[in-house]
Structure formats: C-alpha cells, structure tokens
Amino acid sequence: MDLSTGRPRDTWGSKAAFVLAAAGSAVGLGNIWGFPTVAGQNGGAAFLLIYLAAVALIGAPVMLAELIVGRRTQRNPVGAFKDLAPGSVWVVVGGLGVFTGIIILSFYSVIAGWTLSYIFKTITGTFVAGVDTEAIYNELAGSAVPAISWHLLFIMITIYVVLGGVRDGIERWTKVLMPVLFALLVLLAIRAVTLSGAEAGLAFYLKPDFSKVTGAVILSAIGQAFFSLSLGMGAMITYGSYVSKRDDLVSSAAWVTFADTTIAILAGLIIFPTLFHAGLEPGAGGPGMVFVVLTSLLSSIPPAPYGGVIFGTGFFMLLGIAALTSSVSLLEVVTSWAVDERGMSRRKAAISLGAVAFLIGVPSALANGAVSWLTNLPGIGMDFLSFLFMLFGQYSLVIGALLISLFVGWVWGVKAAGEEVRENDGEFPLGRTWGFLIRFVAPSAIVAILVKMVVDLV
Ligand code: TRP
C-alpha cells in the first residue's frame, strides 16, 4: 500500500522492465567515469582483476540480498529494517543509506552536468583534431556559473523524472537506450584499440602487476564495485520493493551485475588505450580525466570533423541518459523514504529533497578550479568532490553493504530470505552458494580490508 495515496504500491510492468530499470540504476557515471578513474589511480590490470573478484564474490550476493529485503518488505530502506527488525538499531542502516543517497546525488549531478554541457560542445563541433581538450574541460569545470548551472539543470531533470513515479517515469527511459549505449561503446572501444600507442594502454589495463596491490587498492575495488552496482545504501532495496512476487530475483540480480560489469570493462577498453595514445598519465587528472581523454578520442574519429561530432553527440547524450537513470534511483530512494516514513506527498518530497541535493552539490561544483581551497582541500590533498566520493561513494557504501550482509545473513537469516526468493516458483538456484557468500565471504572480506586499512593508517 502506498501510504500517501492509499492505492496498492506501484510495481514494475514486467520482469524485463525491472531488470532494465535496475541496470539503468547501476549503469551510469560509475562505469564510464568512475571505473576508469579509480582503475587508473590503482594500477590498472591488478585493480581490474580484484574488481572482478569483488563483483562476483561480494557485489552479486549483496545485490540479491538487497532485492530480497526490498521485495519482502515492499518498503524504502528505513521502513524495510523497521519491518524486519522492529524496534532495533538496524533501522540506522537504512537511515545511513538515505543520507548517503542524497550526498552521492549531490556530486553525481555535478559530473552529470558536465555531460550535459558536453552534448552541446560536441554538437557545435568543439572537438576537432588538435584541440586542447584539457583546456576545454578546465574552462567548464573551473567556472562557477556554468558548473553550477549545469548541475542545477541536471537535478531539475532528475526531479522531473522521479515525479512521474515508477512506471511512467523510470521505466520508459531505460528500455530503449541501454542497448544503444552498449553498441556505441563497442564502436568507441574498437576505435580506441586501433589508435597508435594503444598497446601500452592495453598492457596497463590487462597485464596485472601484483606488486601494486595494497589494502587501499582492494578497498577501492570493493568500494567501486558497490558504487557501480548501486549497492550499500538501499537503492536495490527500494527497486526490489517494486518487484512483483511472480518475478525471479536470482536471474534479475545476475543480469544486472553482468550488464553493469560488462559496461565498466568496455569503458576501460576505451579510456586506457586512448590515454596512452595521448601520452597522458593514468593516475593523474582527477575527476576530469575521463572527459579530457574521451574528447580527444572523439576528435580522432574520421571523417573529420563529422565523425567526432556524430559519435560525440550520440555518446554524451547516452551518457547523460545513463547518468539520469542512475540519479533517478538515488533520488527515488530518498523520496520513497520521505513518502513512506514522513507521509510527505511524492511531489513535495522529490522537489524539496532534490533542492537539498542541489545545495549540497554546490561546493562540489566549485571544487574543480573555481574555488582553490575546494579544489585542493588543505591537509587532505584532494578536491572536495573526490573527497565526498571517497567518503560516501566508497566508504559509506562498504560499511552499508557490510551491515546489510550481516543483517540478512545472521539476523533476519538466510532461511527467511530463501523463502522470499522461492515465492515465485519454489526454486532458489545457487541458494547454498549465496548463503555461504553472504554469511561468511562478504562480511569477512570487508572486515579484513577495513582492519587492514586502519592498521596501515596507524
Ligand atoms: N551505480 C550508479 C553508477 O554507476 C550510481 C548510483 C546510482 C549509485 N544509485 C546508486 C551508487 C546507489 C551507489 C548507491 O553510476
């Protein structure tokens, strides 16, 4: 029941629609911007391998756990914990998730705003051979008014989609555009690996050097896996809450994980060869690296200048839409919390919480050149946006996912979870494996790496 309207809770139109929407949440800037950025900073190929292990052993089981909790309770993250563990402190996990969601949305929208701006830059033929793509990026990200305006525009579009509700708002966007994005990425990857000097990039990305693996690298890989799969803050609890009891959760989780990971790998195949071709450093560059590298790739697509204009416009439009289906899921979590738990109208909740995310995002919009102390935080040596990404896009999600796996594995219990999975056809493929991963592997891996990090610090 939707408390605000008294009508039965909205559900997805079909299983395929749900898988696409969840994949839409997962696939976004985290794959195309975040993954290459974090992989570049953490040694490339060794990071890729650890990332894949983290996705399979930790990410996929947590994804299923969140979907189960969502479908079982049909509530937002806070309501879900209230429902399964009434009167306990577990509700704090839901609260942390909602809070994390609004912070992630705040800086996510800044980067997504750059994407919108790049649609117009490419359409007007900015990226021709020989153009200084770094200067163009710095000018956009480093100027207060454009950076804030694009951020505002992106938040407004996000609010607009969330206002439409689950079926009409979110579903419609994702269905057609995801496959098109995938096809375009394949074409760009082909172009990238055939550039001169691409081999060095491929070696960096595909030939692991294990001497580069540290606790911090592993933590980044786990954190990136959660961010990319939209885990650890209850987005998948919320999306799972709209899944009908007829649908199969296990294959849904598998598809979403697979799609998300494939797109991240493809993004690396585009970025690293191009980066080495352009003679840039993979670890340097910060949040803007991907924009600088991608546009230099676009300017190389024949026939000049039309190749770059056509591919570039298409690419940034699709990236903008991929970012939108992700930001919508972030605002949806917060909105469903305010609607279910605070009795707000959907409209009021989406608009006011979107506005809050906009305001929190302003310092991130100013942290890429516009305001120097935000660009290089004193004593931290990072820009404000990267700092928030680390705290909320990585650490908070890792802790949230740890608590969710402990809750489902040990408190609520894999038995009850299994019953929910079997609601549709009585089957739970890989149920035992999942139980083992969620009870033992996921929590101990996360705890071990957090302990190692703390030990390294002191
Ligand atoms: N997964 C999205 C991306 O890769 C971002 C995202 C959407 C997200 N919802 C989330 C990240 C929830 C963490 C939690 O771009």
Side-chain angles (χ1 to χ4, degrees):
M1 209 54 136
D2 186 327
L3 294 180
S4 64
T5 59
R7 278 185 280 133
R9 196 177 176 87
D10 232 357
T11 54
W12 305 106
S14 64
K15 179 185 161 200
F18 157 66
V19 171
L20 278 166
S25 165
V27 174
L29 297 169
N31 306 63
I32 290 157
W33 164 78
F35 179 80
T37 304
V38 181
Q41 290 162 351
N42 288 286
F47 176 89
L48 174 61
L49 269 186
I50 296 168
Y51 178 79
L52 293 177
V55 166
L57 299 177
I58 310 176
V62 172
M63 162 95 57
L64 183 57
E66 284 200 27
L67 293 178
I68 294 172
V69 168
R71 191 175 71 171
R72 170 57 172 260
T73 59
Q74 310 212 345
R75 304 279 282 279
N76 68 90
V78 171
F81 281 101
K82 276 192 193 161
D83 191 40
L84 293 180
S88 74
V89 307
W90 284 100
V91 56
V92 172
V93 183
L96 175 72
V98 170
F99 182 71
T100 302
I102 206 160
I103 306 274
I104 294 181
L105 178 60
S106 78
F107 64 79
Y108 200 85
S109 167
V110 170
I111 302 157
W114 299 343
T115 307
L116 296 184
S117 155
Y118 270 68
I119 299 174
F120 293 95
K121 288 192 193 299
T122 41
I123 264 191
T124 52
T126 309
F127 299 107
V128 291
V131 73
D132 184 347
T133 59
E134 194 168 351
I136 293 174
Y137 164 78
N138 286 337
E139 196 190 314
L140 166 69
S143 318
V145 174
I148 293 177
S149 311
W150 290 109
H151 163 52
L152 176 63
L153 179 63
F154 186 80
I155 285 273
M156 285 168 55
I157 303 174
T158 303
I159 294 173
Y160 176 79
V161 176
V162 169
L163 283 181
V166 165
R167 272 220 193 172
D168 306 325
I170 301 171
E171 249 181 61
R172 215 175 31 193
W173 291 91
T174 345
K175 275 190 197 163
V176 203
L177 295 157
M178 295 268 302
V180 184
L181 174 66
F182 180 76
L184 194 62
L185 287 174
V186 171
L187 289 177
L188 289 178
I190 293 173
R191 177 65 194 126
V193 299
T194 52
L195 290 169
S196 68
E199 308 80 50
L202 287 175
F204 173 80
Y205 186 44
L206 300 174
K207 283 209 189 116
D209 169 0
F210 284 103
S211 68
K212 298 218 178 91
V213 177
T214 59
V217 171
I218 302 177
L219 186 70
S220 304
I222 297 177
Q224 175 60 29
F226 289 143
F227 186 87
S228 189
L229 294 167
S230 300
L231 300 176
M233 52 76 63
M236 290 298 161
I237 295 182
T238 307
Y239 271 34
S241 76
Y242 305 117
V243 176
S244 115
K245 298 280 183 195
R246 290 189 312 270
D247 292 335
D248 170 14
L249 292 175
V250 178
S251 68
S252 302
W255 271 109
V256 175
T257 307
F258 176 76
D260 185 73
T261 308
T262 311
I263 292 191
I265 294 174
L266 261 178
L269 280 179
I270 297 171
I271 297 296
F272 293 114
T274 312
L275 198 111
F276 278 77
H277 165 79
L280 299 168
E281 266 300 304
M289 181 273 275
V290 167
F291 286 84
V292 173
V293 170
L294 266 171
T295 44
S296 84
L297 173 68
L298 291 170
S299 66
S300 81
I301 295 176
Y306 306 106
V309 173
I310 293 167
F311 279 88
T313 309
F315 176 78
F316 284 111
M317 283 174 90
L318 289 166
L319 183 57
I321 291 164
L324 184 62
T325 54
S326 301
S327 65
V328 159
S329 78
L330 289 161
L331 186 57
E332 176 63 30
V333 173
V334 209
T335 300
S336 74
W337 163 76
V339 170
D340 294 352
E341 306 299 315
R342 291 268 168 267
M344 259 192 223
S345 74
R346 195 172 175 83
R347 192 178 169 77
K348 194 173 157 206
I351 295 177
S352 57
L353 294 164
V356 171
F358 166 73
L359 292 176
I360 302 176
V362 168
S364 291
L366 298 174
N368 300 279
V371 173
S372 62
W373 70 271
L374 287 169
T375 305
N376 192 354
L377 290 176
I380 295 178
M382 252 189 226
D383 64 275
F384 183 75
L385 192 160
S386 301
F387 187 57
L388 277 193
F389 178 70
M390 184 183 85
L391 290 185
F392 292 93
Q394 301 196 308
Y395 293 176
S396 172
L397 300 179
V398 169
I399 291 168
L402 169 65
L403 294 172
I404 289 170
S405 58
L406 288 175
F407 178 78
V408 172
W410 298 95
V411 179
W412 183 45
V414 288
K415 194 160 161 281
E419 276 160 20
E420 180 62 31
V421 173
R422 290 194 194 86
E423 279 275 329
N424 52 321
D425 60 359
E427 307 273 336
F428 187 174
L430 294 176
R432 277 170 176 275
T433 314
W434 174 76
F436 179 69
L437 293 173
I438 205 75
R439 279 163 73 93
F440 298 103
V441 177
S444 53
I446 298 174
V447 168
I449 201 67
L450 287 174
V451 170
K452 170 107 175 66
M453 283 288 292
V454 176
V455 171
D456 287 352
L457 272 182
V458 292

